[in-house]
Amino acid sequence: MTSKEQTYETVYKEIESVIDGETNETSVLANVAALLHERFAERFFWTGFYLVCDGELQLGPFQGPVACMHIQKGRGVCGTAWAEEKSIIVPDVEAFPGHIACSAHSRSEIVVPLFNSNKEVVGEIDIDSKYLNAFDEVDRLYLEKIAQLLTRTLYRTE
Ligand code: SME
């Protein structure tokens, strides 16, 4: 196992323990953003959530610099991941058509949708790095696992 996988294994267990029994969306997402941001402090420059609200993505709990507060479906990396209902890894944000630049320091990005248990997108995990090509399939795998944990914790529809 690589050190990145080991860190994700540790973070996953920390998240499970911190959010166990919690039901407040803001509190849970704020601590998940904090844990991820702190454990990957070297690589993660902006770590947070966008949530579907009033037909658009609105800024949720995050760690990092001020970010844009409204993103329309199909716009930027976040809006595209929502429209396509799948995770997107962007190795070089300048090469992604329509990328929304919240900070000039962001060079690469990963966006992972959050689904409710009816498989509807309710939000997203969004992470930016100052480094080009900072995210790979290991990030996708573990962030999707964390997203599934959030579905079970916060977004059950039954
Ligand atoms: N870059 C994103 C916007 C959000 S910020 O990265 C925090 C996008 O293109 O959707």
PDB file of all heavy atoms in Angstrom, residues 1-6 9 142:
ATOM      1  N   MET A   1       0.844  -1.197   0.000  1.00  0.00           N
ATOM      2  CA  MET A   1       0.000   0.000   0.000  1.00  0.00           C
ATOM      3  C   MET A   1       0.890   1.263   0.000  1.00  0.00           C
ATOM      4  O   MET A   1       1.854   1.331   0.763  1.00  0.00           O
ATOM      5  CB  MET A   1      -0.880  -0.042   1.258  1.00  0.00           C
ATOM      6  CG  MET A   1      -2.027   0.929   1.209  1.00  0.00           C
ATOM      7  SD  MET A   1      -3.088   0.851   2.673  1.00  0.00           S
ATOM      8  CE  MET A   1      -4.262  -0.401   2.207  1.00  0.00           C
ATOM      9  N   THR A   2       0.554   2.222  -0.840  1.00  0.00           N
ATOM     10  CA  THR A   2       1.357   3.460  -0.880  1.00  0.00           C
ATOM     11  C   THR A   2       1.048   4.324   0.348  1.00  0.00           C
ATOM     12  O   THR A   2       0.045   4.111   1.041  1.00  0.00           O
ATOM     13  CB  THR A   2       1.004   4.294  -2.133  1.00  0.00           C
ATOM     14  OG1 THR A   2      -0.367   4.694  -2.029  1.00  0.00           O
ATOM     15  CG2 THR A   2       1.207   3.511  -3.409  1.00  0.00           C
ATOM     16  N   SER A   3       1.888   5.330   0.594  1.00  0.00           N
ATOM     17  CA  SER A   3       1.628   6.178   1.760  1.00  0.00           C
ATOM     18  C   SER A   3       0.349   6.986   1.558  1.00  0.00           C
ATOM     19  O   SER A   3      -0.361   7.287   2.513  1.00  0.00           O
ATOM     20  CB  SER A   3       2.831   7.078   2.044  1.00  0.00           C
ATOM     21  OG  SER A   3       2.911   8.073   1.073  1.00  0.00           O
ATOM     22  N   LYS A   4       0.034   7.313   0.304  1.00  0.00           N
ATOM     23  CA  LYS A   4      -1.224   8.027   0.058  1.00  0.00           C
ATOM     24  C   LYS A   4      -2.424   7.143   0.427  1.00  0.00           C
ATOM     25  O   LYS A   4      -3.357   7.599   1.097  1.00  0.00           O
ATOM     26  CB  LYS A   4      -1.302   8.459  -1.409  1.00  0.00           C
ATOM     27  CG  LYS A   4      -2.572   9.221  -1.725  1.00  0.00           C
ATOM     28  CD  LYS A   4      -2.458  10.071  -2.954  1.00  0.00           C
ATOM     29  CE  LYS A   4      -2.790   9.306  -4.210  1.00  0.00           C
ATOM     30  NZ  LYS A   4      -2.822  10.187  -5.381  1.00  0.00           N
ATOM     31  N   GLU A   5      -2.367   5.867   0.031  1.00  0.00           N
ATOM     32  CA  GLU A   5      -3.459   4.953   0.389  1.00  0.00           C
ATOM     33  C   GLU A   5      -3.561   4.797   1.907  1.00  0.00           C
ATOM     34  O   GLU A   5      -4.661   4.776   2.463  1.00  0.00           O
ATOM     35  CB  GLU A   5      -3.246   3.578  -0.270  1.00  0.00           C
ATOM     36  CG  GLU A   5      -3.522   3.607  -1.763  1.00  0.00           C
ATOM     37  CD  GLU A   5      -3.057   2.341  -2.473  1.00  0.00           C
ATOM     38  OE1 GLU A   5      -1.926   1.865  -2.183  1.00  0.00           O
ATOM     39  OE2 GLU A   5      -3.799   1.825  -3.302  1.00  0.00           O
ATOM     40  N   GLN A   6      -2.408   4.708   2.557  1.00  0.00           N
ATOM     41  CA  GLN A   6      -2.422   4.580   4.027  1.00  0.00           C
ATOM     42  C   GLN A   6      -3.050   5.805   4.674  1.00  0.00           C
ATOM     43  O   GLN A   6      -3.837   5.686   5.615  1.00  0.00           O
ATOM     44  CB  GLN A   6      -0.994   4.399   4.554  1.00  0.00           C
ATOM     45  CG  GLN A   6      -0.576   2.947   4.529  1.00  0.00           C
ATOM     46  CD  GLN A   6       0.920   2.757   4.696  1.00  0.00           C
ATOM     47  OE1 GLN A   6       1.664   3.715   4.897  1.00  0.00           O
ATOM     48  NE2 GLN A   6       1.349   1.527   4.598  1.00  0.00           N
ATOM     49  N   GLU A   9      -6.726   5.570   4.217  1.00  0.00           N
ATOM     50  CA  GLU A   9      -7.308   4.570   5.127  1.00  0.00           C
ATOM     51  C   GLU A   9      -7.495   5.174   6.516  1.00  0.00           C
ATOM     52  O   GLU A   9      -8.528   4.988   7.160  1.00  0.00           O
ATOM     53  CB  GLU A   9      -6.394   3.331   5.217  1.00  0.00           C
ATOM     54  CG  GLU A   9      -6.365   2.480   3.941  1.00  0.00           C
ATOM     55  CD  GLU A   9      -7.624   1.651   3.730  1.00  0.00           C
ATOM     56  OE1 GLU A   9      -8.340   1.377   4.712  1.00  0.00           O
ATOM     57  OE2 GLU A   9      -7.915   1.294   2.564  1.00  0.00           O
ATOM     58  N   TYR A 142     -10.895   6.619  -3.109  1.00  0.00           N
ATOM     59  CA  TYR A 142     -11.150   6.899  -1.695  1.00  0.00           C
ATOM     60  C   TYR A 142     -12.157   8.030  -1.514  1.00  0.00           C
ATOM     61  O   TYR A 142     -12.979   7.976  -0.598  1.00  0.00           O
ATOM     62  CB  TYR A 142      -9.840   7.211  -0.961  1.00  0.00           C
ATOM     63  CG  TYR A 142      -9.099   5.956  -0.594  1.00  0.00           C
ATOM     64  CD1 TYR A 142      -8.056   5.476  -1.382  1.00  0.00           C
ATOM     65  CD2 TYR A 142      -9.459   5.223   0.539  1.00  0.00           C
ATOM     66  CE1 TYR A 142      -7.388   4.309  -1.058  1.00  0.00           C
ATOM     67  CE2 TYR A 142      -8.800   4.055   0.868  1.00  0.00           C
ATOM     68  CZ  TYR A 142      -7.768   3.605   0.078  1.00  0.00           C
ATOM     69  OH  TYR A 142      -7.114   2.448   0.406  1.00  0.00           O
TER      70      TYR A 142
END
